[in-house]
Amino acid sequence: MQIAIASGKGGVGKSSVAASLIYLLKDGYSLIAVDADADAPNLHLLFGVERWEEKREIIGAKIAKINSETCIKCGICAERCPYDCIKLVDGVYKVNELTCEGCGVCKLVCPVEGVITLEEVRSGIIQKTTTKYGFPLISAQLDVGRPNSGKLVTEEKEWAKRIMKEEGIEHMIVDSAAGIGCQVIASLGGADVAILVAEPTPASLSDVKRVYKVVQHFREPAYLIINKADLNPEFKGLYEFAEEEGIPIIGEIPYDRAVPKSMAMLKPVVEAFPESKASKALREIAEVVKEQILR
Amino acid sequence: MQIAVSGGKGGTGKSTVAVNLAIALRGYFDLALADLDVEAPNDHILLGVELQNEEPVNMFMPRFNYSKCIKCRKCAEVCEENAIITMKDGTPFLMPTLCSGCRACEIVCPVTGAILEGQKLIGHTYITETPYEFSLVTGKLLEGEERAMPIVTAAKRRARSLNKELLLVDTAAGTSNTVSKALEDSKLLIAVTEPTPLGLHDLALILELARLMNIEAWVVINRSDLGEKEGIEKIAQKYNAEIVAEIPYSEAIIRSYVKGEPIVLADSKEAEIFKDLAEKIANYMG
Ligand code: SF4
Ligand code: SF4
Ligand code: SF4
Ligand code: SF4
């Protein structure tokens, strides 16, 4: 089974919830963890990973380059680039390699043959390790300024699937990126179940609603966890949303300073402070996950 | 002039800093705030305003006129996204979810009228008047759409058209090319981070991006009493980035966040931090 954990918004504690759930499920179930937040991966930090067993470079991004020697400075490329990536800098037309999407339009419209070339560059790396807890973890890191992070996530999941086959692993737990863009779509695509994590703030509600629309698009069953649940008792928005959409709330985790402390210690809170309020709530959630989702 | 507020990971308090800084900076500049975190735009929520002046962002999508198409396959060959597949006889078909709207296919098609203009709505931009004497420009990606870049580009164009003395840009998390697009043309980057190993890792990446883009970077440490600051200091030093403010963990900030009432307006020590920072920025920007 493939479970994707998503939140829409960053900072609501999705990764720390994911790390704790993975920690609690690892004993009874064979699983592989996939960190699909290629922009800011952090599961490896939360699991205290010190070295990677295997790394793969993912080539795939393309970047346009202008040969300033042969360029006649007509400016057509700059005018036609759909994303305003070409500018006249000190008298020469230059592609901003950190914003180029690699679509190739500039090359097509350039009147002089061969001035603009599209070059393949690395979009990032994906890497694998076996955590000290025994289960494998796959993580990605997008290179600075590169597009196409969805592709990294797709590659990660392919790799995870191969490992699952080879090692007879049953479950994949994907910690998806914040937002609703290509990385999140790649994370949710193909999942059997989505677990949404939100906190009781208007911003988090707005974002979890947005990611839920993506979940609906894939017709996946969704569950909701309310993190920092006692932060804002007057705020009922999350309950109303869950009620309206028929999304089961599988747990509420109180705000607990043990959580940031455990993160600083590079451990899931359920391991670092098993008796904390947050850990108790997380253990209850893990039981619900076992009964209702993994069965 | 433009300055940007960014931070590696989501949830470090980037939007809180952006919104409060915008309010603190209005005394120095005629400004606009642009929320370019198009996947999860929240500045309007923090400011307690409803988005206004909606404009659609439509993306080009080829539509084939099969009575004119000569099945030469050129469109499929040129498409970097492999969004066009061809049948055995060369008849092209579009896979809409892969198309990025770049128009490369339209440009290479040798037959006028074989590729027609199709459009797909992928998001919106907004210009919202705030009660704080500045306008908020927001880009918002439609749910289910993957391509953030055209929304960021469109929102940035719209923000520029306001012709303000200062544009304050709030970027998405991370360091992908949509973040670079948001940062582009900034004179200063304010990187918001937390003193945790996660914060550290992400701060290094965003400072690296600033270095590659030749943008002066300053660091704001949020929840500064939470962990070890030495790591942050080291990275800041390595990138020549000055640590300009420290915001201790604060219940008052969380409450203001929840209520949509910016903390800088309250009579509090947190407010002073933002006011001092605004003054420092104003001096730097000249
Ligand atoms: S490849 Fe596309 S995005 Fe890059 S510079 Fe050329 S036209 Fe612009
Ligand atoms: S279109 Fe070609 S020749 Fe014209 S400015 Fe661009 S690179 Fe130079
Ligand atoms: S617009 Fe660009 S991405 Fe879309 S089909 Fe044409 S070439 Fe491919
Ligand atoms: S390039 Fe134009 S004529 Fe050729 S297959 Fe595509 S649509 Fe048809």
Side-chain angles (χ1 to χ4, degrees):
Chain A
M1 170 169 273
Q2 200 184 113
I3 301 177
I5 304 181
S7 66
K9 190 177 133 54
V12 301
K14 172 181 54 64
S15 292
S16 76
V17 169
S20 282
L21 286 182
I22 291 167
Y23 179 86
L24 292 169
L25 295 172
K26 71 178 170 22
D27 291 331
Y29 300 85
S30 64
L31 58 86
I32 181 166
V34 176
D35 188 344
D37 188 351
D39 261 325
N42 54 22
L43 272 188
H44 64 290
L45 293 171
L46 290 171
F47 289 131
V49 170
E50 274 160 16
R51 54 170 217 101
W52 297 96
E53 289 158 9
E54 209 182 327
K55 268 186 200 194
R56 289 187 195 171
E57 299 202 327
I58 304 296
I59 314 284
K62 282 191 181 165
I63 300 275
K65 283 222 159 88
I66 296 176
N67 181 345
S68 55
E69 306 272 296
T70 48
C71 166
I72 57 165
K73 305 198 170 76
C74 65
I76 294 174
C77 55
E79 222 168 88
R80 296 289 293 271
C81 169
Y83 313 108
D84 301 341
C85 302
I86 303 182
K87 300 236 158 84
L88 194 58
V89 185
D90 301 329
V92 290
Y93 281 95
K94 267 200 142 155
V95 175
N96 185 342
E97 297 184 2
L98 297 166
T99 57
C100 172
E101 289 261 290
C103 66
V105 163
C106 51
K107 182 177 168 208
L108 291 172
V109 297
C110 176
V112 191
E113 181 74 29
V115 176
I116 299 184
T117 45
L118 276 191
E119 286 175 23
E120 286 214 326
V121 291
R122 204 176 91 154
S123 35
I125 54 163
I126 56 178
Q127 46 196 357
K128 180 214 160 193
T129 195
T130 307
T131 61
K132 61 180 178 226
Y133 308 104
F135 60 84
L137 166 71
I138 296 191
S139 185
Q141 177 71 60
L142 184 71
D143 284 353
V144 167
R146 289 291 172 255
N148 214 358
S149 44
K151 185 167 185 240
L152 284 190
V153 174
T154 307
E155 295 276 345
E156 282 186 281
K157 287 174 73 172
E158 292 292 315
W159 195 0
K161 274 185 213 151
R162 278 201 301 278
I163 295 172
M164 289 170 83
K165 243 197 202 137
E166 284 161 21
E167 300 182 12
I169 293 173
E170 267 178 282
H171 305 291
M172 185 198 306
I173 302 188
V174 182
D175 184 15
S176 40
I180 54 165
C182 58
Q183 288 190 57
V184 180
I185 290 176
S187 303
L188 290 168
D192 300 293
V193 165
I195 297 181
L196 307 176
V197 181
E199 61 180 21
T201 62
S204 176
L205 174 63
S206 153
D207 295 335
V208 81
K209 278 185 178 167
R210 279 158 72 68
V211 82
Y212 181 64
K213 284 199 185 156
V214 181
V215 171
Q216 279 179 309
H217 178 83
F218 289 117
R219 297 195 178 81
E220 286 160 7
Y223 299 86
L224 179 66
I225 294 174
I226 303 181
N227 198 17
K228 305 175 200 167
D230 50 353
L231 194 71
N232 189 10
E234 302 109 83
F235 186 79
K236 301 279 176 262
L238 282 173
Y239 300 95
E240 286 160 15
F241 160 66
E243 169 96 44
E244 269 163 34
E245 301 290 346
I247 305 170
I249 295 176
I250 56 170
E252 296 179 27
I253 306 168
Y255 180 74
D256 187 343
R257 291 203 78 180
V259 176
K261 269 195 233 154
S262 71
M263 290 176 87
M265 291 161 68
L266 302 180
K267 279 182 183 164
V269 67
V270 287
E271 182 187 11
F273 302 104
E275 291 317 312
S276 62
K277 291 184 291 181
S279 295
K280 282 190 185 130
L282 281 157
R283 278 197 299 273
E284 281 168 26
I285 293 171
E287 288 310 312
V288 180
V289 171
K290 285 177 193 171
E291 277 162 31
Q292 295 190 16
I293 302 176
L294 295 169
R295 272 192 289 264
Chain B
M1 287 193 298
Q2 182 184 309
I3 58 182
V5 179
S6 192
K9 246 185 84 58
T12 45
K14 185 175 53 65
S15 295
T16 306
V17 170
V19 160
N20 284 292
L21 257 190
I23 295 174
L25 279 168
R26 68 186 163 160
Y28 301 91
F29 301 99
D30 177 27
L31 68 94
L33 173 65
D35 188 353
L36 301 182
D37 186 0
V38 304
E39 290 182 42
N42 282 329
D43 290 0
H44 62 287
I45 299 176
L46 301 194
L47 287 164
V49 293
E50 299 262 342
L51 293 175
Q52 298 157 4
N53 296 310
E54 178 176 276
E55 259 180 27
V57 180
N58 284 307
M59 196 174 83
F60 167 82
M61 276 209 162
R63 276 198 303 124
F64 301 106
N65 179 348
Y66 292 111
S67 64
K68 289 201 171 155
C69 170
I70 55 166
K71 303 177 179 148
C72 68
R73 299 178 202 256
K74 287 208 168 96
C75 52
E77 281 158 20
V78 78
C79 177
E80 288 290 341
E81 306 287 343
N82 300 316
I84 300 177
I85 47 167
T86 53
M87 300 291 110
K88 266 209 183 100
D89 69 349
T91 310
F93 282 97
L94 179 73
M95 292 190 283
T97 52
L98 296 179
C99 175
S100 72
C102 71
R103 292 184 186 265
C105 50
E106 187 197 27
I107 295 166
V108 292
C109 177
V111 187
T112 322
I115 291 186
L116 301 170
E117 178 97 16
Q119 294 222 313
K120 180 184 181 195
L121 180 72
I122 58 164
H124 296 91
T125 61
Y126 303 83
I127 297 183
T128 309
E129 290 312 319
T130 70
Y132 308 112
E133 299 157 38
F134 63 83
S135 317
L136 170 70
V137 181
T138 306
K140 194 171 176 192
L141 182 71
L142 215 61
E143 296 88 355
E145 289 303 325
E146 304 202 16
R147 307 209 175 253
M149 187 61 106
I151 311 287
V152 175
T153 311
K156 218 166 164 180
R157 280 183 190 153
R158 207 169 168 201
R160 286 242 180 80
S161 74
L162 293 175
N163 270 322
K164 295 289 182 181
E165 200 182 342
L166 181 73
L167 181 61
L168 183 65
V169 160
D170 182 12
T171 81
T175 52
S176 74
N177 68 340
T178 52
V179 176
S180 336
K181 181 90 243 166
L183 290 181
E184 195 174 38
D185 301 321
S186 298
K187 189 172 170 198
L188 182 64
L189 162 76
I190 311 276
V192 184
T193 189
E194 284 178 347
T196 61
L198 312 182
L200 218 69
H201 170 257
D202 298 333
L203 177 66
L205 290 174
I206 190 77
L207 292 181
E208 174 66 17
L209 183 59
R211 186 186 68 80
L212 288 171
M213 297 187 78
N214 266 322
I215 301 172
E216 165 96 12
W218 291 357
V219 175
V220 171
I221 309 180
N222 197 16
R223 299 179 202 127
S224 57
D225 45 354
L226 205 80
E228 305 277 327
K229 277 184 302 207
E230 286 127 57
I232 302 261
E233 281 157 11
K234 252 193 219 147
I235 289 181
Q237 212 166 31
K238 179 177 164 203
Y239 284 98
N240 248 326
E242 189 187 342
I243 297 174
V244 290
E246 294 185 18
I247 308 169
Y249 174 83
S250 146
E251 298 277 339
I253 289 186
I254 297 185
R255 272 199 303 277
S256 75
Y257 182 79
V258 163
K259 289 204 185 120
E261 288 168 8
I263 189 85
V264 68
L265 296 169
D267 196 6
S268 65
K269 56 180 193 303
E270 292 87 355
E272 291 308 313
I273 299 175
F274 287 108
K275 286 180 192 157
D276 290 347
L277 182 55
E279 188 182 340
K280 195 170 159 80
I281 291 172
N283 286 336
Y284 176 78
M285 300 301 280

